Amino acid sequence: MTNHTITHSNTRSSTNSSLNSSSMRRILPLIMAIMLGVSVLAVAGHAQSPTLHGAAHDTRHATGFPCH
Amino acid sequence: MFSRVVTTALFAGCIAGLLGGLLQLYFVQPVLLHAELYESGTITHFGSDPMTHASHGDSELDLTRDLLSLGFSMAIYVGYGLILAALMALRQESNQTISIRQGLIWGLAGFIAVHFAPGFGLPPEVPGVASASLESRQIWWGATVLATIIAFWLIAFSKAPIAFGLAVVLLLAPHVIGAPEPDMLIGPVPPEIASHFAARAFGVGMASWAVLGLFSSYFLATHAADDVD
């Protein structure tokens, strides 16, 4: 744990570019997770194909998505 | 990190969606089915004997329809869970821990952001109500949710006083601009049923989001030890 922390602070203090790539590496998966979540919601909550709309109808109304 | 967020969202979203779906079937579905009788014209608001139709009655069990509702409820809360868990993980990146009680507050804030705030302009609607075009409502809905989430983030985590002012502007702006409204009000469903539906939808949504926030913080903390980076 201590080693891990030390390695980290060294990486952070080295250069600006490595700081940027390090924070990007940490934030990118979170952005991907958010985009995945938005995609799931777009299909389950907003997509208007008749079959999908019919199947999700009651839940969309109850969860306040704009429907019809 | 990605797998930790996805695992958290799957577990927490399925639990919240299942519970929310069951609450929906018990509390919201009878009101919705009652409204559909008016939407289809099977019963009418005026000119019929009001005593006959005042109660929501026992909703008939439609297994396929109800199972689909449960499935979609779980899918929707997994989707919300992905966003919620990712934002929680973002806070943890700044060495902030999120307790289960704090998770509850995250969940309630989520409910306000994606359900209550857009519902202030576009209340959860029973089938058959008049409304503006779907595209305009979806755009307003999305913009309101995004503005409210950013506002809450600023209020919760920004140290700059100006952030509060910006947050208030973001919270108010969608409602000052106003949600798209229908040209005519032609809904055949009685207002008593419509308002009952909106209130029940909000209540069930709040309970589901509270559960989502609670379990998201729990699973995120549980899986923190699994992280290798």
Coordinates of all heavy atoms in Angstrom, one line a residue, chain A residues 4 8 12 22-23 25-48 51-68, chain B residues 1-2 5-6 24 28-29 32 36 39 65-66 68-70 72-73 75-80 82-83 86-87 89-90 93 114-115 122 124-128 131 134 137-138 141 197 201 228-229:
Chain A
H4 N 2.7 1.5 -3.2 CA 1.8 2.0 -4.2 C 1.7 3.5 -4.2 O 1.8 4.2 -5.2 CB 0.4 1.3 -3.9 CG -0.6 1.6 -5.0 ND1 -0.6 0.9 -6.2 CD2 -1.6 2.5 -5.0 CE1 -1.6 1.4 -6.9 NE2 -2.2 2.3 -6.2
H8 N 2.9 6.4 -7.0 CA 1.9 7.3 -7.5 C 2.4 8.7 -7.4 O 2.3 9.5 -8.4 CB 0.7 7.2 -6.7 CG -0.5 6.8 -7.5 ND1 -0.9 7.7 -8.5 CD2 -1.2 5.7 -7.6 CE1 -1.9 7.1 -9.1 NE2 -2.1 5.9 -8.6
R12 N 3.1 11.4 -10.4 CA 2.4 12.7 -10.5 C 3.4 13.9 -10.6 O 3.1 14.9 -11.2 CB 1.5 12.8 -9.4 CG 0.3 11.9 -9.5 CD -0.8 12.3 -8.6 NE -2.0 11.4 -8.9 CZ -3.1 11.4 -8.2 NH1 -3.2 12.2 -7.2 NH2 -4.1 10.6 -8.6
S22 N -2.0 10.1 -16.9 CA -2.4 9.3 -15.7 C -3.8 9.6 -15.3 O -4.6 8.7 -15.1 CB -1.5 9.7 -14.5 OG -2.1 9.3 -13.3
S23 N -4.2 10.9 -15.3 CA -5.6 11.2 -15.0 C -6.6 10.8 -16.1 O -7.7 10.4 -15.8 CB -5.8 12.7 -14.6 OG -5.2 13.5 -15.6
R25 N -6.1 8.2 -17.9 CA -6.3 6.8 -17.8 C -7.3 6.4 -16.7 O -7.9 5.4 -16.8 CB -4.9 6.2 -17.5 CG -4.7 4.7 -17.7 CD -3.3 4.3 -17.8 NE -2.4 5.0 -16.8 CZ -2.3 4.6 -15.6 NH1 -2.9 3.5 -15.1 NH2 -1.5 5.2 -14.8
R26 N -7.4 7.3 -15.7 CA -8.3 7.0 -14.6 C -9.7 7.4 -14.9 O -10.7 6.8 -14.5 CB -7.8 7.7 -13.3 CG -6.5 7.1 -12.9 CD -5.9 7.9 -11.7 NE -5.1 6.9 -11.0 CZ -5.6 6.2 -10.0 NH1 -6.8 6.2 -9.6 NH2 -4.8 5.3 -9.4
I27 N -9.8 8.5 -15.7 CA -11.1 9.0 -15.9 C -11.8 8.4 -17.2 O -13.0 8.2 -17.2 CB -11.0 10.6 -16.1 CG1 -10.8 11.2 -14.7 CG2 -12.3 11.2 -16.6 CD1 -10.4 12.6 -14.8
L28 N -11.0 7.9 -18.1 CA -11.6 7.4 -19.3 C -12.5 6.2 -19.1 O -13.6 6.2 -19.7 CB -10.4 6.9 -20.3 CG -10.8 6.8 -21.8 CD1 -11.3 8.2 -22.3 CD2 -9.6 6.3 -22.6
P29 N -12.2 5.2 -18.2 CA -13.1 4.2 -17.9 C -14.5 4.7 -17.4 O -15.5 4.1 -17.7 CB -12.4 3.3 -16.9 CG -11.0 3.7 -17.0 CD -10.9 5.1 -17.5
L30 N -14.4 5.8 -16.6 CA -15.6 6.3 -16.0 C -16.5 7.0 -17.1 O -17.7 6.8 -17.1 CB -15.3 7.3 -14.9 CG -14.4 6.8 -13.8 CD1 -14.1 7.9 -12.8 CD2 -15.1 5.6 -13.1
I31 N -15.8 7.6 -18.0 CA -16.6 8.2 -19.2 C -17.2 7.1 -20.0 O -18.4 7.2 -20.4 CB -15.6 9.1 -20.0 CG1 -15.1 10.3 -19.2 CG2 -16.3 9.6 -21.3 CD1 -14.1 11.1 -19.9
M32 N -16.4 6.0 -20.2 CA -17.0 4.9 -20.9 C -18.2 4.3 -20.2 O -19.2 4.0 -20.9 CB -15.9 3.8 -21.1 CG -15.0 4.1 -22.2 SD -13.5 3.1 -22.2 CE -14.2 1.5 -22.3
A33 N -18.1 4.2 -18.9 CA -19.3 3.7 -18.1 C -20.5 4.6 -18.2 O -21.6 4.1 -18.4 CB -18.9 3.5 -16.7
I34 N -20.3 5.9 -18.2 CA -21.4 6.8 -18.3 C -22.0 6.7 -19.7 O -23.2 6.7 -19.8 CB -20.9 8.3 -18.0 CG1 -20.6 8.5 -16.6 CG2 -21.9 9.3 -18.5 CD1 -19.9 9.8 -16.2
M35 N -21.1 6.6 -20.7 CA -21.7 6.5 -22.1 C -22.5 5.2 -22.3 O -23.5 5.2 -22.9 CB -20.5 6.5 -23.1 CG -20.0 8.0 -23.3 SD -18.5 8.1 -24.2 CE -19.0 7.4 -25.8
L36 N -22.0 4.1 -21.6 CA -22.7 2.9 -21.7 C -24.1 3.0 -21.0 O -25.1 2.6 -21.5 CB -21.9 1.8 -21.0 CG -22.5 0.4 -21.0 CD1 -22.6 -0.2 -22.4 CD2 -21.6 -0.6 -20.2
G37 N -24.1 3.7 -19.8 CA -25.4 4.0 -19.1 C -26.3 4.8 -20.0 O -27.5 4.5 -20.0
V38 N -25.8 5.8 -20.6 CA -26.7 6.7 -21.5 C -27.2 5.8 -22.6 O -28.4 5.9 -23.0 CB -25.9 7.9 -22.0 CG1 -26.7 8.6 -23.1 CG2 -25.5 8.8 -20.9
S39 N -26.4 4.9 -23.2 CA -26.9 4.0 -24.3 C -28.0 3.1 -23.8 O -29.0 3.0 -24.5 CB -25.8 3.2 -24.8 OG -24.6 4.0 -25.1
V40 N -27.8 2.5 -22.6 CA -28.9 1.6 -22.1 C -30.2 2.4 -21.9 O -31.2 2.0 -22.2 CB -28.4 1.1 -20.7 CG1 -29.5 0.3 -20.0 CG2 -27.2 0.1 -20.9
L41 N -30.0 3.7 -21.4 CA -31.2 4.5 -21.1 C -31.9 4.9 -22.4 O -33.1 5.0 -22.5 CB -30.9 5.7 -20.3 CG -30.5 5.4 -18.8 CD1 -29.9 6.6 -18.1 CD2 -31.7 4.9 -18.1
A42 N -31.0 5.2 -23.4 CA -31.6 5.6 -24.7 C -32.4 4.4 -25.3 O -33.5 4.7 -25.9 CB -30.5 5.9 -25.7
V43 N -32.0 3.2 -25.2 CA -32.7 2.1 -25.7 C -33.9 1.8 -24.8 O -35.1 1.7 -25.3 CB -31.8 0.8 -25.8 CG1 -32.6 -0.4 -26.2 CG2 -30.7 1.1 -26.8
A44 N -33.7 1.6 -23.5 CA -34.8 1.2 -22.6 C -35.8 2.3 -22.4 O -37.0 2.1 -22.2 CB -34.2 0.7 -21.3
G45 N -35.4 3.6 -22.4 CA -36.3 4.7 -22.0 C -36.8 5.5 -23.2 O -37.9 6.0 -23.1
H46 N -35.9 5.7 -24.2 CA -36.3 6.7 -25.3 C -36.6 6.1 -26.7 O -37.3 6.7 -27.4 CB -35.2 7.7 -25.4 CG -35.1 8.6 -24.2 ND1 -36.2 9.5 -23.8 CD2 -34.2 8.8 -23.2 CE1 -35.9 10.2 -22.8 NE2 -34.7 9.7 -22.3
A47 N -36.0 5.0 -27.0 CA -36.1 4.5 -28.4 C -37.6 4.2 -28.7 O -38.3 3.7 -27.9 CB -35.3 3.2 -28.6
Q48 N -38.0 4.5 -29.9 CA -39.4 4.5 -30.3 C -39.8 3.4 -31.2 O -40.9 3.4 -31.8 CB -39.8 5.8 -30.9 CG -39.8 7.0 -29.8 CD -40.8 6.7 -28.7 OE1 -41.9 6.3 -28.9 NE2 -40.4 6.9 -27.5
T51 N -42.1 -2.3 -31.2 CA -42.0 -3.4 -30.3 C -41.4 -3.0 -28.9 O -41.9 -3.3 -27.9 CB -41.0 -4.5 -30.9 OG1 -41.3 -4.6 -32.3 CG2 -41.2 -5.8 -30.2
L52 N -40.3 -2.2 -29.0 CA -39.6 -1.7 -27.8 C -40.6 -0.8 -27.0 O -40.7 -0.9 -25.8 CB -38.4 -1.0 -28.2 CG -37.2 -0.9 -27.2 CD1 -36.8 -2.3 -26.8 CD2 -36.0 -0.2 -27.8
H53 N -41.3 0.0 -27.7 CA -42.2 1.0 -27.0 C -43.3 0.2 -26.3 O -43.6 0.5 -25.2 CB -42.8 2.0 -28.0 CG -43.8 2.8 -27.4 ND1 -45.2 2.5 -27.5 CD2 -43.7 4.0 -26.7 CE1 -45.8 3.5 -26.8 NE2 -45.0 4.3 -26.3
G54 N -43.8 -0.8 -27.0 CA -44.9 -1.6 -26.4 C -44.5 -2.3 -25.2 O -45.1 -2.4 -24.1
A55 N -43.2 -2.9 -25.2 CA -42.7 -3.7 -24.1 C -42.4 -2.8 -22.9 O -42.6 -3.2 -21.8 CB -41.5 -4.5 -24.6
A56 N -41.8 -1.6 -23.2 CA -41.3 -0.8 -22.1 C -42.4 0.2 -21.7 O -42.2 1.0 -20.7 CB -40.1 0.0 -22.6
H57 N -43.6 0.2 -22.3 CA -44.6 1.2 -22.1 C -44.9 1.6 -20.7 O -44.7 2.7 -20.3 CB -45.9 0.8 -22.8 CG -47.0 1.7 -22.6 ND1 -47.9 1.5 -21.6 CD2 -47.4 2.8 -23.3 CE1 -48.8 2.5 -21.7 NE2 -48.6 3.3 -22.7
D58 N -45.3 0.6 -19.9 CA -45.7 0.9 -18.5 C -44.6 1.4 -17.7 O -44.8 2.4 -16.9 CB -46.2 -0.4 -17.9 CG -47.5 -1.0 -18.6 OD1 -48.0 -0.3 -19.5 OD2 -47.9 -2.1 -18.3
T59 N -43.4 0.9 -17.8 CA -42.3 1.3 -17.1 C -41.9 2.8 -17.4 O -41.5 3.6 -16.6 CB -41.1 0.4 -17.2 OG1 -41.5 -1.0 -16.9 CG2 -39.9 0.7 -16.3
R60 N -41.9 3.1 -18.7 CA -41.6 4.4 -19.2 C -42.5 5.4 -18.6 O -42.1 6.5 -18.1 CB -41.6 4.5 -20.7 CG -40.5 3.8 -21.4 CD -40.5 4.0 -22.9 NE -39.4 3.3 -23.5 CZ -39.2 3.3 -24.8 NH1 -40.0 4.0 -25.6 NH2 -38.2 2.7 -25.3
H61 N -43.8 5.1 -18.6 CA -44.8 6.0 -17.9 C -44.5 6.2 -16.5 O -44.5 7.3 -15.9 CB -46.2 5.5 -18.1 CG -46.8 5.9 -19.4 ND1 -47.4 7.1 -19.6 CD2 -46.9 5.3 -20.6 CE1 -47.8 7.2 -20.9 NE2 -47.5 6.1 -21.5
A62 N -44.2 5.1 -15.8 CA -44.0 5.1 -14.3 C -42.7 5.8 -13.9 O -42.6 6.4 -12.9 CB -44.1 3.7 -13.8
T63 N -41.7 5.7 -14.8 CA -40.4 6.4 -14.5 C -40.3 7.7 -15.1 O -39.2 8.3 -15.0 CB -39.2 5.5 -14.9 OG1 -39.5 5.0 -16.2 CG2 -39.1 4.3 -14.0
G64 N -41.3 8.3 -15.7 CA -41.4 9.7 -16.1 C -40.6 10.0 -17.4 O -40.4 11.1 -17.7
F65 N -40.3 9.0 -18.2 CA -39.8 9.3 -19.5 C -40.9 9.8 -20.4 O -42.0 9.4 -20.3 CB -39.2 8.0 -20.2 CG -37.9 7.5 -19.6 CD1 -37.8 6.6 -18.6 CD2 -36.7 8.1 -20.0 CE1 -36.6 6.1 -18.1 CE2 -35.5 7.6 -19.5 CZ -35.5 6.7 -18.5
P66 N -40.5 10.8 -21.3 CA -41.5 11.2 -22.3 C -41.9 10.0 -23.2 O -41.0 9.3 -23.7 CB -40.7 12.2 -23.1 CG -39.6 12.7 -22.3 CD -39.2 11.5 -21.5
C67 N -43.2 9.7 -23.3 CA -43.6 8.5 -24.0 C -44.7 9.0 -25.0 O -45.3 10.0 -24.9 CB -44.2 7.6 -23.0 SG -44.2 5.8 -23.5
H68 N -44.9 8.2 -26.1 CA -45.8 8.4 -27.2 C -45.4 9.6 -28.0 O -45.2 10.7 -27.5 CB -47.3 8.7 -26.7 CG -47.8 7.5 -25.9 ND1 -48.2 6.4 -26.5 CD2 -48.1 7.3 -24.6 CE1 -48.6 5.5 -25.6 NE2 -48.6 6.1 -24.4
Chain B
M1 N -11.2 -0.5 -12.9 CA -12.1 0.6 -12.6 C -13.4 0.4 -13.3 O -14.5 0.5 -12.8 CB -11.5 2.0 -12.8 CG -12.4 3.1 -12.6 SD -13.1 3.2 -10.9 CE -11.6 3.9 -10.1
F2 N -13.3 0.2 -14.7 CA -14.5 0.0 -15.5 C -15.3 -1.2 -15.0 O -16.5 -1.0 -14.8 CB -14.1 -0.1 -17.0 CG -15.2 -0.3 -17.9 CD1 -16.0 0.8 -18.2 CD2 -15.6 -1.5 -18.5 CE1 -17.1 0.7 -19.1 CE2 -16.7 -1.6 -19.3 CZ -17.4 -0.5 -19.7
V5 N -17.2 -0.5 -11.8 CA -18.3 0.4 -11.9 C -19.5 -0.5 -12.6 O -20.6 -0.4 -12.1 CB -18.0 1.6 -12.8 CG1 -19.3 2.3 -13.3 CG2 -17.1 2.6 -12.0
V6 N -19.1 -1.3 -13.6 CA -20.1 -2.1 -14.3 C -20.7 -3.1 -13.3 O -22.0 -3.3 -13.3 CB -19.5 -2.7 -15.5 CG1 -20.5 -3.7 -16.1 CG2 -19.2 -1.7 -16.6
Q24 N -43.9 -0.6 -8.6 CA -44.7 -0.1 -9.7 C -45.9 -0.9 -10.0 O -47.0 -0.4 -10.2 CB -43.8 0.0 -10.9 CG -44.5 0.5 -12.2 CD -43.7 0.1 -13.4 OE1 -42.4 0.2 -13.4 NE2 -44.3 -0.2 -14.5
V28 N -48.6 1.6 -9.0 CA -48.8 2.4 -10.1 C -49.7 1.8 -11.2 O -50.5 2.4 -11.8 CB -47.4 2.9 -10.8 CG1 -47.7 3.8 -11.9 CG2 -46.5 3.4 -9.7
Q29 N -49.5 0.4 -11.4 CA -50.1 -0.3 -12.5 C -51.7 -0.2 -12.4 O -52.3 0.0 -13.4 CB -49.7 -1.7 -12.5 CG -50.0 -2.5 -13.8 CD -49.1 -2.0 -14.9 OE1 -48.3 -1.1 -14.8 NE2 -49.4 -2.5 -16.1
L32 N -52.6 3.1 -13.7 CA -52.4 3.1 -15.2 C -53.5 2.4 -16.0 O -54.0 2.8 -17.0 CB -51.0 2.6 -15.5 CG -50.5 2.7 -16.9 CD1 -49.0 2.9 -16.9 CD2 -50.7 1.4 -17.7
E36 N -56.2 3.6 -18.7 CA -56.3 3.1 -20.1 C -57.7 2.8 -20.5 O -58.0 2.9 -21.6 CB -55.4 1.8 -20.2 CG -53.9 2.1 -20.4 CD -53.1 0.9 -20.7 OE1 -53.6 -0.2 -20.5 OE2 -51.9 1.1 -21.1
E39 N -58.6 6.0 -21.7 CA -57.9 6.3 -23.0 C -58.6 5.5 -24.2 O -58.8 6.1 -25.3 CB -56.5 5.8 -22.9 CG -55.6 6.2 -24.1 CD -54.2 5.5 -24.1 OE1 -54.1 4.4 -23.4 OE2 -53.3 5.9 -24.8
R65 N -46.9 -8.9 -19.8 CA -46.8 -7.4 -19.6 C -46.0 -7.0 -18.4 O -45.2 -6.2 -18.3 CB -48.2 -6.8 -19.6 CG -48.2 -5.3 -19.6 CD -49.6 -4.8 -19.8 NE -49.7 -3.3 -19.6 CZ -50.7 -2.6 -19.9 NH1 -51.8 -3.1 -20.4 NH2 -50.6 -1.3 -19.8
D66 N -46.4 -7.7 -17.3 CA -45.8 -7.4 -16.0 C -44.3 -7.8 -15.9 O -43.5 -7.1 -15.3 CB -46.6 -8.1 -14.8 CG -47.9 -7.5 -14.7 OD1 -48.2 -6.4 -15.3 OD2 -48.8 -8.0 -14.0
L68 N -42.3 -8.0 -18.5 CA -41.6 -7.0 -19.3 C -41.4 -5.7 -18.5 O -40.3 -5.1 -18.6 CB -42.4 -6.7 -20.6 CG -42.3 -7.7 -21.7 CD1 -43.3 -7.4 -22.8 CD2 -40.9 -7.7 -22.3
S69 N -42.4 -5.3 -17.8 CA -42.2 -4.1 -16.9 C -41.1 -4.3 -16.0 O -40.3 -3.4 -15.8 CB -43.5 -3.8 -16.2 OG -44.5 -3.3 -17.1
L70 N -41.0 -5.4 -15.3 CA -40.0 -5.7 -14.4 C -38.6 -5.7 -15.1 O -37.6 -5.1 -14.6 CB -40.2 -7.1 -13.7 CG -41.2 -7.2 -12.6 CD1 -41.2 -8.6 -12.0 CD2 -40.8 -6.2 -11.4
F72 N -37.7 -4.2 -17.9 CA -37.3 -2.8 -18.3 C -37.0 -1.9 -17.1 O -36.1 -1.1 -17.2 CB -38.4 -2.2 -19.2 CG -38.2 -2.5 -20.6 CD1 -38.9 -3.6 -21.2 CD2 -37.3 -1.8 -21.4 CE1 -38.7 -3.9 -22.5 CE2 -37.1 -2.2 -22.7 CZ -37.8 -3.2 -23.3
S73 N -37.7 -2.2 -16.0 CA -37.4 -1.4 -14.8 C -35.9 -1.7 -14.4 O -35.1 -0.8 -14.1 CB -38.3 -1.8 -13.7 OG -38.0 -1.1 -12.5
A75 N -33.5 -2.8 -16.4 CA -32.6 -2.2 -17.4 C -32.4 -0.7 -17.2 O -31.3 -0.2 -17.3 CB -33.2 -2.5 -18.8
I76 N -33.5 0.0 -16.9 CA -33.4 1.4 -16.7 C -32.5 1.7 -15.5 O -31.7 2.6 -15.5 CB -34.8 2.0 -16.6 CG1 -35.5 2.1 -18.0 CG2 -34.8 3.4 -15.9 CD1 -36.9 2.5 -18.0
Y77 N -32.7 1.0 -14.4 CA -31.9 1.3 -13.2 C -30.5 0.8 -13.3 O -29.6 1.4 -12.7 CB -32.6 0.8 -11.9 CG -33.7 1.7 -11.5 CD1 -35.1 1.5 -11.9 CD2 -33.4 2.9 -10.9 CE1 -36.0 2.4 -11.5 CE2 -34.4 3.8 -10.5 CZ -35.7 3.6 -10.9 OH -36.7 4.5 -10.5
V78 N -30.2 -0.2 -14.2 CA -28.8 -0.5 -14.4 C -28.2 0.6 -15.2 O -27.1 1.0 -15.0 CB -28.7 -1.9 -15.2 CG1 -27.3 -2.0 -15.8 CG2 -29.1 -3.1 -14.3
G79 N -28.9 1.2 -16.2 CA -28.5 2.3 -16.9 C -28.2 3.5 -16.0 O -27.1 4.1 -16.1
Y80 N -29.1 3.8 -15.1 CA -28.9 4.9 -14.2 C -27.7 4.5 -13.2 O -26.9 5.4 -12.8 CB -30.1 5.1 -13.3 CG -31.2 5.9 -14.0 CD1 -32.5 5.6 -13.9 CD2 -30.9 7.0 -14.9 CE1 -33.5 6.4 -14.5 CE2 -31.8 7.8 -15.5 CZ -33.2 7.4 -15.3 OH -34.1 8.2 -16.0
L82 N -25.1 2.8 -13.9 CA -23.8 3.0 -14.5 C -23.3 4.4 -14.4 O -22.1 4.7 -14.1 CB -23.9 2.6 -16.0 CG -23.9 1.1 -16.3 CD1 -24.4 0.9 -17.8 CD2 -22.4 0.6 -16.2
I83 N -24.2 5.4 -14.6 CA -23.9 6.8 -14.5 C -23.6 7.1 -13.0 O -22.6 7.8 -12.7 CB -25.0 7.7 -15.0 CG1 -25.2 7.3 -16.5 CG2 -24.7 9.1 -14.8 CD1 -26.5 7.9 -17.1
A86 N -20.3 5.6 -11.8 CA -19.2 6.2 -12.4 C -18.9 7.5 -11.7 O -17.7 7.9 -11.5 CB -19.4 6.4 -13.9
L87 N -19.9 8.3 -11.4 CA -19.8 9.6 -10.7 C -19.2 9.4 -9.3 O -18.4 10.2 -8.8 CB -21.1 10.4 -10.8 CG -21.5 10.9 -12.1 CD1 -22.9 11.6 -12.1 CD2 -20.5 11.8 -12.8
A89 N -17.4 6.9 -8.4 CA -16.0 6.4 -8.5 C -15.1 7.7 -8.8 O -14.0 7.7 -8.4 CB -15.9 5.4 -9.6
L90 N -15.7 8.6 -9.5 CA -14.9 9.8 -9.8 C -14.6 10.6 -8.5 O -13.5 11.1 -8.4 CB -15.8 10.7 -10.7 CG -15.1 12.0 -11.3 CD1 -13.9 11.6 -12.2 CD2 -16.1 12.8 -12.1
E93 N -11.8 8.8 -6.8 CA -10.5 9.1 -7.4 C -9.9 10.3 -6.7 O -8.7 10.4 -6.7 CB -10.7 9.5 -8.9 CG -11.0 8.3 -9.8 CD -9.7 7.4 -9.9 OE1 -8.7 7.9 -10.3 OE2 -9.9 6.2 -9.5
V114 N -33.2 13.2 -12.3 CA -33.7 12.5 -13.5 C -35.3 12.3 -13.4 O -35.8 11.9 -14.4 CB -33.1 11.2 -13.8 CG1 -31.6 11.3 -13.7 CG2 -33.5 10.1 -12.8
H115 N -35.9 12.5 -12.3 CA -37.3 12.2 -12.2 C -38.1 13.4 -11.8 O -39.0 13.9 -12.5 CB -37.5 11.1 -11.2 CG -38.7 10.2 -11.5 ND1 -38.8 8.9 -11.0 CD2 -39.8 10.5 -12.2 CE1 -40.0 8.4 -11.4 NE2 -40.6 9.4 -12.1
L122 N -42.6 18.3 -17.1 CA -43.3 17.2 -17.7 C -43.7 16.1 -16.7 O -43.0 15.2 -16.5 CB -42.4 16.6 -18.8 CG -42.0 17.4 -20.0 CD1 -40.9 16.7 -20.8 CD2 -43.1 17.8 -20.9
P124 N -45.0 12.9 -14.7 CA -45.3 11.6 -15.2 C -46.7 11.5 -15.6 O -47.6 11.8 -14.9 CB -45.0 10.7 -13.9 CG -44.2 11.5 -13.0 CD -44.5 13.0 -13.3
E125 N -46.9 11.0 -16.9 CA -48.2 11.2 -17.5 C -48.9 9.8 -17.6 O -48.3 8.8 -18.0 CB -48.2 11.9 -18.8 CG -47.2 11.3 -19.8 CD -47.0 12.2 -21.0 OE1 -47.2 13.5 -20.9 OE2 -46.8 11.7 -22.1
V126 N -50.2 9.8 -17.4 CA -51.0 8.6 -17.6 C -51.2 8.5 -19.1 O -51.0 9.5 -19.9 CB -52.4 8.7 -17.0 CG1 -52.3 8.5 -15.5 CG2 -53.1 10.0 -17.3
P127 N -51.4 7.3 -19.6 CA -51.7 7.1 -21.0 C -52.9 7.9 -21.4 O -53.8 8.1 -20.7 CB -52.0 5.6 -21.2 CG -51.3 5.0 -20.0 CD -51.4 6.0 -18.9
G128 N -52.8 8.5 -22.6 CA -53.9 9.2 -23.2 C -53.9 10.7 -23.0 O -54.8 11.4 -23.5
S131 N -50.0 16.0 -25.3 CA -48.7 16.5 -25.0 C -48.0 17.0 -26.3 O -48.5 16.7 -27.4 CB -47.8 15.3 -24.4 OG -48.0 14.1 -25.1
L134 N -43.0 14.5 -29.3 CA -42.1 13.6 -28.5 C -40.7 14.1 -28.5 O -40.0 14.2 -27.5 CB -42.2 12.2 -29.0 CG -41.3 11.2 -28.2 CD1 -41.9 11.0 -26.8 CD2 -41.2 9.8 -29.0
R137 N -40.0 17.1 -26.3 CA -40.1 16.7 -24.9 C -38.8 15.9 -24.5 O -38.3 16.1 -23.4 CB -41.3 15.9 -24.6 CG -42.6 16.7 -24.5 CD -43.8 15.9 -24.2 NE -44.1 15.0 -25.3 CZ -44.5 13.8 -25.1 NH1 -44.6 13.2 -23.9 NH2 -44.8 13.0 -26.2
Q138 N -38.3 15.1 -25.4 CA -37.1 14.3 -25.1 C -35.9 15.2 -25.0 O -35.1 15.1 -24.1 CB -36.9 13.2 -26.1 CG -37.8 12.1 -26.0 CD -37.6 11.0 -27.1 OE1 -37.1 11.3 -28.1 NE2 -37.9 9.7 -26.7
W141 N -36.3 17.1 -21.7 CA -36.0 16.2 -20.6 C -34.5 16.0 -20.4 O -34.0 16.1 -19.3 CB -36.7 14.9 -21.0 CG -36.7 13.8 -19.9 CD1 -37.6 13.6 -18.9 CD2 -35.6 12.8 -19.7 NE1 -37.2 12.5 -18.1 CE2 -36.0 12.1 -18.6 CE3 -34.4 12.6 -20.3 CZ2 -35.3 11.0 -18.0 CZ3 -33.7 11.5 -19.8 CH2 -34.1 10.8 -18.7
F197 N -51.6 9.2 -10.4 CA -50.6 8.5 -11.1 C -49.2 9.2 -10.9 O -48.2 8.6 -10.7 CB -50.9 8.4 -12.6 CG -49.9 7.7 -13.4 CD1 -49.9 6.3 -13.5 CD2 -48.9 8.4 -14.0 CE1 -49.0 5.6 -14.3 CE2 -47.9 7.7 -14.8 CZ -48.0 6.3 -14.9
A201 N -46.0 7.7 -9.2 CA -44.8 7.5 -9.9 C -43.6 8.1 -9.2 O -42.5 7.6 -9.2 CB -44.9 8.1 -11.3
V228 N -7.0 -3.2 -9.2 CA -5.6 -3.4 -9.3 C -4.8 -2.1 -9.6 O -3.6 -2.1 -9.3 CB -5.2 -4.5 -10.4 CG1 -5.6 -5.9 -9.9 CG2 -5.9 -4.2 -11.7
D229 N -5.5 -1.1 -10.2 CA -4.7 0.0 -10.5 C -4.5 1.0 -9.4 O -5.1 1.0 -8.4 CB -5.3 0.8 -11.7 CG -6.7 1.2 -11.5 OD1 -7.3 0.8 -10.4 OD2 -7.3 1.9 -12.3

